[in-house]
Amino acid sequence: MATVTIYDVAAKAGVSIKSVSRVLNNEPNVSPTLRTKVEEAAASLGYRRSLSARSLAGASSSLIAVLVDADLTIEHWKSGRGSDYLGRLEFGALMEARQVDYHLMIELVDHNSPDLERDLMALLNSIRPEGVILTPPNSDNIAVMDVLDAAGTPYARIGPEAAFDRGFCIEMDERRAALEMTRHLIDLGHTRIAFVTGPVAYGASRRRLAGYRDAMAEAGLEVAPAWVVEGDFTFNSGALAMEKLHQTAPDITAIFASNDDTALGVLQCAARLGLSAPGDVAVAGFDDSPGAGFSTPDLTTIRQPVAEMAAAAAQRLIPPLRRLLKGDANARVIVPHDLIERQSTAQSVR
Amino acid sequence: MATVTIYDVAAKAGVSIKSVSRVLNNEPNVSPTLRTKVEEAAASLGYRRSLSARSLAGASSSLIAVLVDADLTIEHWKSGRGSDYLGRLEFGALMEARQVDYHLMIELVDHNSPDLERDLMALLNSIRPEGVILTPPNSDNIAVMDVLDAAGTPYARIGPEAAFDRGFCIEMDERRAALEMTRHLIDLGHTRIAFVTGPVAYGASRRRLAGYRDAMAEAGLEVAPAWVVEGDFTFNSGALAMEKLHQTAPDITAIFASNDDTALGVLQCAARLGLSAPGDVAVAGFDDSPGAGFSTPDLTTIRQPVAEMAAAAAQRLIPPLRRLLKGDANARVIVPHDLIERQSTAQSVR
DNA sequence: CTGAAAGCGCTAACAG
DNA sequence: CTGTTAGCGCTTTCAG
């Protein structure tokens, strides 16, 4: 396992190490002959540049760091609310990164740790990533962005809520998606459509609610106050909302919940109340979380394009990829979503 | 953003860089005074060693690579069968790694690419990880293990199927878990219990089936041939199995499916056939995938301790952590699982 | 117990 | 177009 170094390649090709370096980095001023010689030597030796040497010598570290929130992850488990969000995110970023030999490093941060800034600074100091991908809730963490800006490290924020002038913002149009889903229900013949919100503190909740209202207004449908019930993105809150709606607005024919967990709760409670879905009440969710496809009935929902968002982030953070984007590398990107139609909204209203 | 180097710390502490290095690496022969001085200087400067410099100078790279299969991930999405497996795995490894300032790198590999060996070798050459975590199906990829062995890079295999003498094997006792689940059904009063298998090619499938048979035998219950139906870990195969069982073995009172997706399919088909669960038929799954907690009824299942397995892997791969393990660092680890009792097996047989 | 010197593999600046 | 010379920040010799 003798390590193959640039010297070995240079020796084999009969040139200087600088020439090898030039070829490897696609620098100008290299004769085709030399290029060929070097490439052949490198290939035959199975040579690969050492990341650390490169990084130490001042070139790119070829590293993208993904900052994942520890608290949120733990909370998700405890509440039994896991998702493949992270897996999809990483995959999307990785598919881009691997093309140009970049690597992905996953780091845990506590978004409300008092040492956050010190820790983050230390992290940057120690691994020197070329770019950082911020996942919620760190996508909106001012302290994190400040440290990153101070370090001069570019960052992409997945699903940011505000301050859209900082970093690269990679989003989906949640308001629009909620509008489309509501419109979908209206097209199915529903007119009395209830909405279960998420926690008011979340911008996503507010945007989804706004989209619902947009669609209703657009169709000239009034929204009775009783139709909008507060939830908190959990299964339980969905069940409670269903119960409440059953009492205060029994004449509704469709319920649009702010996320899938909530919608699943609605579904379960409806069954308990003897209401069939979609027969008595159509139900729609948001996120396309795992499980949405396996409920009875399976859930009509909006698929968040997580992998695509991560890919867009990677394209903006990795210089060789950004160059390919040319002028399209806007700082704010809206990635298209999908409406996935399943059984929970299957038939039109009787 | 002037980078803080070991020289800055040495200057501030009034010692040589070698002394700083000694303190940082917990080397012997350091006077307490010196140690304190250095530690204070380092802390006040917010100093953090550069990973690349350390790695280049021949010390540990402080890197653990996680090899994730690209094909499998893509396939999971297409089939709508996402899970939080990867998220849990990374979290478990990260919680250990961060304690000793190790980092996690995620790499995609195609387990059946023809260039697998070349690519992997190049990867090792370029990032020089201290250890590698192999996730299925690469946990059993001989070619991968050969490359790793040749490079002298330690590796931990999550959920290996065979060749238990290679690398660190981190497993759960699937046979035992299946036995316990079956026993649980028997304790509930069931005697006619069906089993839906996974794909025969998977060792996990075979072990789960064996556990089922163990428990039945142990209770002196015979297994009618019609009770064991072949599935393939998908939702659809569960629905098909339920249909088949309804025709060929209508008198069964419980169904144990090899994984949650399959169990969810069973559940849905049962509902379609007018069978209530758990009233007419109790249903149990395996994996505790997201969604298992949100079905109607929610699913009794076995929780795979993925995070714990990853933690065990990290402990064995990261030298400073392994030292803490002392003699307990066996090459083969069985991590305890949990049986999660939910509504789908709620009441005992009528 | 402590320090000075050498060099890991690479790129950057400066020559030719 | 190509090569030489210094380092990057650290750990490892090897001397005190």
Side-chain angles (χ1 to χ4, degrees):
Chain A
M1 266 297 114
T3 306
V4 183
T5 77
I6 198 170
Y7 288 95
D8 301 320
V9 179
K12 177 134 188 180
V15 299
S16 77
I17 57 162
K18 178 64 219 184
S19 291
V20 176
S21 176
R22 278 204 183 89
V23 172
L24 263 26
N25 295 311
N26 276 313
E27 285 175 32
N29 301 332
V30 186
S31 73
T33 336
L34 196 155
R35 169 173 299 279
T36 322
K37 266 194 303 189
V38 170
E39 279 169 351
E40 277 170 3
S44 78
L45 259 33
Y47 170 70
R48 198 74 149 221
R49 293 177 294 186
S50 147
L51 263 202
S52 14
R54 251 175 83 72
S55 167
L56 183 57
S60 142
S61 65
S62 302
L63 242 44
I64 298 293
V66 179
L67 261 40
V68 178
D69 196 67
D71 293 345
L72 190 71
T73 312
I74 294 177
E75 189 206 309
H76 273 188
W77 288 355
K78 287 200 177 144
S79 65
R81 183 156 42 110
S83 86
D84 56 352
Y85 187 91
L86 188 61
R88 286 160 65 191
L89 183 104
E90 288 174 9
F91 190 83
L94 237 20
M95 288 303 280
E96 295 296 320
R98 68 185 335 201
Q99 294 173 33
V100 286
D101 205 32
Y102 264 63
H103 301 265
L104 225 60
M105 210 152 211
I106 312 297
E107 297 292 336
L108 239 37
V109 303
D110 302 315
H111 72 278
N112 43 24
S113 150
D115 303 325
L116 177 74
E117 288 163 75
R118 208 174 45 70
D119 290 350
L120 186 54
M121 207 113 69
L123 181 75
L124 294 179
N125 222 344
S126 121
I127 72 177
R128 309 201 158 282
E130 286 292 288
V132 172
I133 297 181
L134 261 31
T135 61
N138 285 307
S139 311
D140 281 287
N141 194 314
I142 304 285
V144 169
M145 291 191 272
D146 286 345
V147 172
L148 257 12
D149 278 335
T153 306
Y155 51 96
R157 303 158 60 199
I158 307 292
E161 307 259 289
F164 298 111
D165 55 333
R166 303 192 65 177
F168 294 106
C169 293
I170 320 286
E171 322 164 61
M172 64 168 284
D173 191 338
E174 300 192 77
R175 181 167 182 167
R176 171 87 203 172
L179 179 150
E180 286 169 10
M181 181 60 86
T182 310
R183 204 185 258 167
H184 175 67
L185 294 169
I186 293 170
D187 287 348
L188 251 24
H190 298 280
T191 54
R192 297 184 301 282
I193 304 171
F195 187 85
V196 187
T197 74
V200 281
Y202 283 33
S205 294
R206 296 193 300 270
R207 288 193 292 277
R208 292 172 193 184
L209 174 57
Y212 158 76
R213 289 195 187 280
D214 289 348
M216 295 297 274
E218 171 192 84
L221 296 170
E222 222 166 298
V223 176
W227 296 357
V228 176
V229 182
E230 194 173 324
D232 63 5
F233 279 166
T234 65
F235 183 85
N236 269 342
S237 77
L240 290 174
M242 178 71 242
E243 221 153 67
K244 191 165 171 190
L245 284 168
H246 189 53
Q247 294 174 353
T248 61
D251 59 338
I252 51 138
T253 64
I255 302 176
F256 178 14
S258 287
N259 78 344
D260 288 347
D261 292 357
T262 308
L264 259 12
V266 166
L267 230 35
Q268 199 210 42
C269 180
R272 212 171 48 228
L273 293 171
L275 297 172
S276 83
D280 296 320
V281 60
V283 177
F286 203 112
D287 280 349
D288 195 30
S289 50
F294 298 149
S295 57
T296 310
D298 53 359
L299 201 61
T300 294
T301 188
I302 298 287
R303 192 181 69 91
Q304 282 219 50
V306 181
E308 290 84 347
M309 296 201 295
Q315 284 164 1
R316 265 142 262 260
L317 259 17
I318 300 176
L321 291 178
R322 183 163 55 223
R323 275 192 285 280
L324 300 176
L325 243 45
K326 313 243 170 171
D328 298 338
N330 0 26
R332 195 167 170 186
V333 198
I334 308 285
V335 181
H337 54 262
D338 289 311
L339 193 160
I340 305 197
E341 209 175 333
R342 297 208 186 93
Q343 289 300 315
S344 67
T345 61
Q347 51 251 60
S348 70
V349 111
R350 59 248 106 126
Chain B
M1 268 298 114
T3 306
V4 183
T5 77
I6 197 170
Y7 288 94
D8 302 319
V9 179
K12 177 136 190 180
V15 298
S16 77
I17 60 161
K18 177 63 224 187
S19 292
V20 177
S21 176
R22 279 205 182 88
V23 172
L24 262 27
N25 294 312
N26 278 311
E27 284 174 33
N29 302 332
V30 187
S31 72
T33 337
L34 196 157
R35 168 173 300 280
T36 323
K37 267 194 303 189
V38 170
E39 279 168 350
E40 277 169 4
S44 78
L45 259 33
Y47 170 71
R48 199 74 150 222
R49 293 177 294 188
S50 148
L51 264 201
S52 13
R54 250 175 84 69
S55 169
L56 182 57
S60 140
S61 65
S62 302
L63 244 44
I64 298 294
V66 178
L67 262 40
V68 177
D69 196 68
D71 293 344
L72 191 71
T73 311
I74 294 177
E75 190 206 309
H76 272 189
W77 289 355
K78 287 199 177 146
S79 66
R81 183 158 40 111
S83 87
D84 56 354
Y85 187 91
L86 188 60
R88 287 160 66 191
L89 182 104
E90 289 174 10
F91 190 83
L94 237 18
M95 288 303 280
E96 294 296 320
R98 66 184 337 201
Q99 295 173 32
V100 287
D101 205 32
Y102 264 64
H103 301 266
L104 223 62
M105 210 152 210
I106 312 297
E107 298 292 336
L108 238 38
V109 303
D110 301 315
H111 72 276
N112 42 23
S113 147
D115 302 325
L116 177 74
E117 288 164 74
R118 207 173 45 70
D119 291 348
L120 186 54
M121 206 116 66
L123 182 74
L124 295 178
N125 221 345
S126 118
I127 72 177
R128 309 200 157 281
E130 287 292 288
V132 172
I133 296 181
L134 261 30
T135 61
N138 285 306
S139 311
D140 281 287
N141 193 315
I142 304 284
V144 169
M145 292 191 271
D146 286 345
V147 172
L148 257 11
D149 278 333
T153 306
Y155 51 95
R157 302 158 60 198
I158 307 291
E161 308 259 290
F164 298 111
D165 55 332
R166 303 192 66 176
F168 293 106
C169 294
I170 321 287
E171 323 164 60
M172 63 167 285
D173 191 338
E174 301 193 77
R175 183 168 180 165
R176 171 88 202 169
L179 179 151
E180 286 168 11
M181 180 59 87
T182 311
R183 204 185 259 167
H184 174 68
L185 294 169
I186 294 170
D187 288 348
L188 251 24
H190 297 279
T191 53
R192 297 184 301 281
I193 305 171
F195 186 85
V196 187
T197 73
V200 281
Y202 283 34
S205 295
R206 296 193 300 269
R207 288 193 292 276
R208 293 173 193 183
L209 174 59
Y212 157 76
R213 289 194 186 281
D214 289 347
M216 295 296 275
E218 170 193 85
L221 296 170
E222 221 166 298
V223 175
W227 296 356
V228 176
V229 181
E230 194 173 325
D232 62 5
F233 278 166
T234 65
F235 182 85
N236 269 343
S237 77
L240 290 174
M242 177 71 242
E243 220 153 68
K244 192 165 172 190
L245 283 168
H246 188 53
Q247 294 175 353
T248 61
D251 60 338
I252 52 138
T253 65
I255 301 176
F256 178 15
S258 287
N259 76 346
D260 288 348
D261 291 357
T262 308
L264 260 11
V266 166
L267 230 36
Q268 198 210 41
C269 180
R272 211 170 50 225
L273 294 171
L275 297 172
S276 82
D280 296 321
V281 61
V283 177
F286 202 112
D287 281 349
D288 195 29
S289 51
F294 298 150
S295 57
T296 310
D298 52 0
L299 201 61
T300 294
T301 189
I302 298 286
R303 193 181 68 91
Q304 281 218 51
V306 181
E308 291 84 346
M309 297 202 300
Q315 284 163 2
R316 264 141 262 261
L317 258 17
I318 300 176
L321 292 178
R322 183 164 55 222
R323 275 191 284 280
L324 301 176
L325 242 43
K326 315 244 168 171
D328 297 338
N330 0 25
R332 195 167 170 186
V333 197
I334 308 283
V335 182
H337 54 263
D338 289 311
L339 194 160
I340 305 196
E341 210 175 332
R342 297 208 187 93
Q343 290 299 315
S344 69
T345 60
Q347 52 251 60
S348 69
V349 110
R350 59 243 106 122

